[in-house]
Amino acid sequence: ANVGGTLVPALAIEMLRVATGARSLRLHVTGARVDGIALGGFRVPTEADGGVHVHFAPRSAARYVSAVDVLEGRVAPGRLARKLVFVGVTGLGLGDVQATPLGERMPGSEIHAQLLENLYDGTTLIRPAWAAWAELAAFALLAGVLIVLVPRLAPRHGALLALAGVGLVGAGAFALFRSQRLLLDAAKPGVGVLLVFGSVLVLTLAEAHRQRRALEKEMQLQRERAARIEGELAAARRIQTGTLPRAEAFRGDRRFDLAASMEPASEVGGDLYDFFRLDGRRLFLVVGDVAGKGLSASIFMAVSKALYKAATLRTPAAAVPALMSTANVEIARDNPEFLFVTAFAAILDLDTGELEFCNAGHEAPWALCPGERAAGRVEGGGGPPLCAV
């Protein structure tokens, strides 16, 4: 306090001045900042406002001596020799009992005693000028780490990372407190980190929810597109199989038996077959396979079948090799994808049983002749696939 221009110290400071024999009290300042108090050759550093932080020890009964015991001579004189002694009232209802950072309440006289010990031993806690900046830097660093990593981690791992950051700040502050008596506030950065983590987690979950909704919508659209494509392919399969001839059309002719079936590997395919009469005694047959699978092969199959049949019906009297050459020219004319088709074509004379054939790169068929026990390959008559040359 300042009384008429004279500095009047607090109780502990005045006791220290009397104990050290100092005649005056000097205040060291730098501008508006208080650096410390000097008592003769004894100097006590302070905070910028002139205060100090007491480094509290647990409450101890060994600090107390009963005044009655002193007055009645039950206390050895040596116990009070060279000691600084506070005389205070500690009775219930009379004592000045205050809470301390240790979680226990102490009489004001013991708090003064601990302050005096701190000043004499130089063990007061120090709140350095850079403490606020260090706390802000720790918060900024941990917040930045959480902002970058939490969206990429599972919520459980993000929570562990946040707790680890809070623990790291607390451990660092505690280590500086124990080793250097530095007083840093770990609560503010810790709470700030937890708030940042909560905010980032909420935003991350909201973004994940938005992405999930978008993904569900996209999956629904894909299912609808797949259903449409499946329906179109099913229709294409029906159309493709519908263009193939039916053996029932020749059921009344007893000179031959005919059966045919085609099962595409996927929805549609490039296999083909056809048969039709050229005249009353000749039956034309063709079996083929387009290179590739799927929709492109099925389209080329339909085009090849149509062109082959048209070329054959235009010149029904032509021989099979000539028909094959004509079909090759027709099919190869409009073939930008350079697809090719293998084909086995034949004309069966229904009266004589004679088979005239030509094989354009197709698998050689099997034939079972009358009187033979095993089927044999129909070899010969081979050439390159259609559109290959």
Side-chain angles (χ1 to χ4, degrees):
N2 188 331
V3 180
T6 301
L7 291 178
V8 179
L11 176 59
I13 296 296
E14 179 64 7
M15 285 189 67
L16 190 59
R17 184 188 69 78
V18 173
T20 58
R23 296 178 59 83
S24 63
L25 172 67
R26 297 191 307 277
L27 198 63
H28 293 271
V29 297
T30 302
R33 175 185 175 86
V34 179
D35 296 323
I37 297 173
L39 302 166
F42 191 84
R43 186 176 184 276
V44 178
T46 66
E47 303 295 335
D49 59 355
V52 293
H53 297 278
V54 180
H55 191 174
F56 282 95
R59 186 179 181 184
S60 173
R63 296 179 182 273
Y64 295 89
V65 176
S66 171
V68 174
D69 292 339
V70 174
L71 294 175
E72 293 182 356
R74 292 194 296 267
V75 177
R79 184 171 183 184
L80 300 178
R82 302 184 61 82
K83 298 291 193 298
L84 300 179
V85 180
F86 288 95
V87 179
V89 179
T90 59
L92 293 177
L94 298 176
D96 177 23
V97 181
Q98 302 292 334
T100 66
L102 299 182
E104 57 181 344
R105 297 172 65 83
M106 292 183 184
S109 57
E110 183 171 358
I111 293 177
H112 278 288
Q114 294 212 34
L115 171 59
L116 187 58
E117 284 182 345
N118 282 192
L119 296 176
Y120 187 81
D121 296 336
T123 57
T124 55
L125 298 178
I126 303 170
R127 173 75 175 170
W130 48 263
W133 292 106
E135 293 158 4
L136 180 61
F139 165 73
L141 177 62
L142 292 176
V145 171
L146 291 178
I147 291 173
V148 173
L149 295 183
V150 167
R152 305 179 183 180
L153 300 175
R156 179 179 61 183
H157 296 158
L160 292 176
L161 179 62
L163 293 177
V166 173
L168 181 63
V169 171
F174 183 74
L176 291 175
F177 171 80
R178 291 299 300 270
S179 62
Q180 304 295 326
R181 304 192 319 279
L182 298 182
L183 195 60
L184 300 179
D185 187 359
K188 290 180 181 178
V191 172
V193 166
L194 293 179
L195 291 176
V196 169
F197 167 71
S199 301
V200 174
L201 183 61
V202 169
L203 294 176
T204 301
L205 293 178
E207 177 64 16
H209 180 69
R210 186 192 67 79
Q211 293 181 358
R212 182 175 63 83
R213 295 292 299 273
L215 182 60
E216 290 176 351
K217 185 177 180 180
E218 180 63 23
M219 291 180 62
Q220 180 64 27
L221 293 176
Q222 290 182 1
R223 284 195 292 265
E224 293 175 359
R225 286 195 294 266
R228 286 196 298 268
I229 294 174
E230 184 177 356
E232 292 174 357
L233 290 176
R237 181 187 182 112
R238 292 193 300 270
I239 294 173
Q240 183 184 31
T241 55
T243 61
L244 299 174
R246 297 291 183 268
E248 291 80 0
F250 303 110
R251 187 169 296 172
D253 196 330
R254 297 180 176 276
R255 291 175 295 177
F256 65 97
D257 291 325
L258 188 62
S261 177
M262 185 184 74
E263 186 69 25
S266 53
E267 286 80 2
V268 291
D271 299 322
L272 64 95
Y273 69 84
D274 200 0
F275 48 84
F276 50 86
R277 289 181 184 272
L278 296 176
D279 50 41
R281 61 176 292 179
R282 293 188 305 156
L283 178 68
F284 181 82
L285 308 166
V286 63
V287 177
D289 185 13
V290 176
K293 300 289 183 184
L295 193 58
S296 59
S298 69
I299 295 174
F300 196 70
M301 166 267 188
V303 172
S304 302
K305 178 178 173 297
L307 292 176
Y308 203 111
K309 186 171 185 177
T312 302
L313 293 178
R314 283 199 306 268
T315 56
V320 177
L323 293 175
M324 191 74 80
S325 298
T326 303
N328 179 71
V329 173
E330 293 292 335
I331 298 172
R333 180 177 292 118
D334 296 315
N335 183 18
E337 296 298 324
F338 297 99
L339 297 175
F340 66 89
V341 54
T342 64
F344 176 85
I347 297 177
L348 176 64
D349 191 319
L350 300 179
D351 290 339
T352 65
E354 183 181 13
L355 186 71
E356 179 188 3
F357 66 89
C358 184
N359 192 338
H362 199 70
E363 184 79 3
W366 296 83
L368 181 62
C369 299
E372 296 183 1
R373 309 180 87 181
R377 290 279 189 163
V378 180
E379 304 289 351
L386 303 181
C387 305
V389 178

